[in-house]
Amino acid sequence: MTPPRTPQIPVVVLAGFLGSGKTTLLNHLLRNRAGTRIGVIVNDFGAIEIDAMTVSGQVGSTVSLGNGCLCCAVDASELDTFLETLTRAPARLDVIVIEASGLAEPQELVRMLLASDNPHILYGGLVEVVDAAEFDRTRQRHPEIDRHLAVADLVVLNKTDRVGEAERERLRAAVAELSGPAAVISAVHGRIDPELLFDPALRPDHEDKVRQLTFEDLLREEAPDGHDDHLHASYESVDFTSDVPMDPRRFMEFLDSRPDGLYRIKGFADFGEGDRDHTYALHAVGRFLRFVPRPWARGEQRLTQLVMIGAGIDAAALSAGLAACRADGAARTDEPGRADQPGRADAADVERAMWGVLRYVQEQAPEPEVFDAHGTADPREAAAEA
């Protein structure tokens, strides 16, 4: 189950020290994007052959910062300039990746993204790439790596083919201890499943039949044999669907205590009596959480539909935890003053329970314009795609 696309574009920060494999991982994503339009901001001069990189034939979909480090900006205004370029309607991007300088402070990039005034973007997580073969030496030279790992949402332990099995397990345990609740996955040559970071885009048939040569096409012939095998083996995906509304208090308790390694949660939640008029789109990456309410469509089936993605997670426990969040229409007898009124939902209590959800509500971004081949806005297409 893949939730419908929203107008907001997730922005993923790709960080890691020099030589960890950030560019290799980024090139892998571009080779295996499966029709997803990726915009890229690079602030390592010469790290990627910028002239060759276009996204779905859209010249200008890649922004090279060249000299200097993006995170040294005084405020978010400079970053907003680049993001504004990439979020313009003609590009119709699905995701933006910022490849940070090897000596960048990733938490500053995250801070600027969260402070951005651009209504078309959404924080997509901080991915920290670690060189397994050089990890100990890197920590000696750059002890700040501990701080970087502590704020990561996903850690890619890269180049694991260069260490033995025992050493790999030791490194994984060390990285997991430093990164806390972040999911940790192992990789070789930066080959991770793109679905960890973004959802595959579904395109109308005519867009695939007639299109310009893309960066993915240019790189496909260079890809090593068998590089896509078993990319899903390092993580697990759990689906949950319920036609019974979720109890907002129990659901927020579940989200507040979500286990280590649970990297992404996406989907829609129905809170029943908590808000009869809206379904709530949920976007969680690492510890970051946002709800975006939207009105129910006429005739739309009222469901809660969620997808959870993580590494080292207990799928059965997650499913059971969500099932326990379903509202049963009865008051909880462990709440003061409610044991004598079974089977009745107090309106004031439901309203109080919804405050936990509303703390994380973000208003929906304006609908993007959609342009035809002549650059003319087509409001009907925009409405259909929303």
Side-chain angles (χ1 to χ4, degrees):
M1 184 275 298
T2 300
R5 295 169 58 202
T6 69
Q8 290 179 300
I9 303 172
V11 181
V12 177
V13 177
L14 183 61
F17 280 94
L18 297 168
S20 61
K22 299 187 303 297
T23 301
T24 302
L25 191 155
L26 177 57
N27 284 339
H28 167 74
L29 295 177
L30 292 167
R31 286 188 183 102
N32 298 278
R33 59 188 182 82
T36 301
R37 294 189 173 105
I38 305 175
V40 180
I41 297 177
V42 181
N43 73 310
D44 266 344
F45 181 75
I48 295 180
E49 187 180 0
I50 297 300
D51 290 341
M53 188 186 302
T54 58
V55 181
S56 291
Q58 296 285 347
V59 176
S61 291
T62 299
V63 177
S64 173
L65 301 188
N67 298 325
C69 181
L70 177 61
C71 70
C72 294
V74 175
D75 55 30
S77 59
E78 183 180 3
L79 178 59
D80 276 338
T81 299
F82 296 111
L83 292 174
E84 179 61 30
T85 299
L86 293 178
T87 56
R88 288 173 185 164
R92 298 178 66 187
L93 298 179
D94 301 295
V95 62
I96 296 171
V97 178
I98 300 176
E99 185 190 3
S101 162
L103 299 178
E105 287 291 338
Q107 61 266 41
E108 289 304 305
L109 292 173
V110 173
R111 178 188 63 80
M112 287 191 288
L113 285 175
L114 295 178
S116 173
D117 293 327
N118 191 320
H120 300 293
I121 66 168
L122 185 67
Y123 176 57
L126 168 61
V127 180
E128 183 77 14
V129 184
V130 173
D131 183 341
E134 298 292 330
F135 178 67
D136 292 329
R137 285 183 287 272
T138 300
R139 286 188 75 192
Q140 290 177 357
R141 294 192 304 269
H142 303 287
E144 60 269 30
I145 192 174
D146 291 8
R147 183 174 67 251
H148 297 180
L149 287 169
V151 297
D153 299 301
L154 174 68
V155 178
V156 178
L157 185 60
N158 196 29
K159 305 185 183 180
T160 53
D161 58 322
R162 296 179 56 191
V163 298
E165 183 176 352
E167 177 68 357
R168 183 164 58 248
E169 291 305 313
R170 182 191 70 82
L171 290 169
R172 185 181 180 87
V175 168
E177 182 177 0
L178 292 169
S179 60
V184 180
I185 62 172
S186 299
V188 175
H189 302 303
R191 298 197 293 263
I192 68 172
D193 194 325
E195 288 194 46
L196 274 168
L197 305 183
F198 52 80
D199 301 328
L202 301 178
R203 303 290 179 199
D205 290 340
H206 69 273
E207 290 195 17
D208 287 331
K209 292 176 181 177
V210 181
R211 61 180 176 82
Q212 292 178 310
L213 192 68
T214 69
F215 187 62
E216 179 184 22
D217 298 323
L218 295 174
L219 289 177
R220 183 176 291 119
E221 292 184 0
E222 303 173 11
D225 293 337
H227 72 282
D228 283 330
D229 289 347
H230 309 298
L231 293 178
H232 62 280
S234 58
Y235 74 94
E236 190 165 4
S237 177
V238 181
D239 295 350
F240 175 82
T241 301
S242 174
D243 58 1
V244 177
M246 307 299 280
D247 179 283
R249 180 178 286 111
R250 297 181 215 171
F251 189 54
M252 291 310 302
E253 289 173 354
F254 172 87
L255 292 176
D256 288 341
S257 62
R258 55 192 186 272
D260 294 355
L262 183 55
Y263 172 56
R264 292 180 71 197
I265 308 176
K266 57 185 179 179
F268 296 86
D270 172 19
F271 291 112
E273 295 299 327
D275 188 343
R276 298 298 302 170
D277 298 325
H278 297 87
T279 180
Y280 283 72
L282 184 158
H283 169 78
V285 55
R287 297 291 103 183
F288 177 82
L289 175 64
R290 281 288 183 272
F291 286 103
V292 180
R294 70 161 175 82
W296 289 103
R298 181 177 299 178
E300 180 179 359
Q301 186 178 8
R302 301 199 172 206
L303 296 173
T304 292
Q305 296 178 291
L306 300 171
V307 175
M308 296 165 286
I309 300 173
I313 57 177
D314 186 334
L318 286 174
S319 297
L322 281 173
C325 294
R326 291 181 292 197
D328 54 14
R332 294 179 65 179
T333 57
D334 58 349
E335 295 174 359
R338 300 308 309 279
D340 58 341
Q341 300 181 51
R344 296 183 59 190
D346 183 86
D349 184 63
V350 171
E351 182 177 353
R352 284 193 297 270
M354 280 299 295
W355 275 110
V357 175
L358 298 177
R359 284 186 301 149
Y360 295 97
V361 161
Q362 180 182 45
E363 293 301 324
Q364 183 66 288
E367 293 293 338
E369 290 183 300
V370 177
F371 291 77
D372 61 21
H374 304 288
T376 305
D378 185 347
R380 294 172 300 173
E381 186 176 354
E385 187 171 358

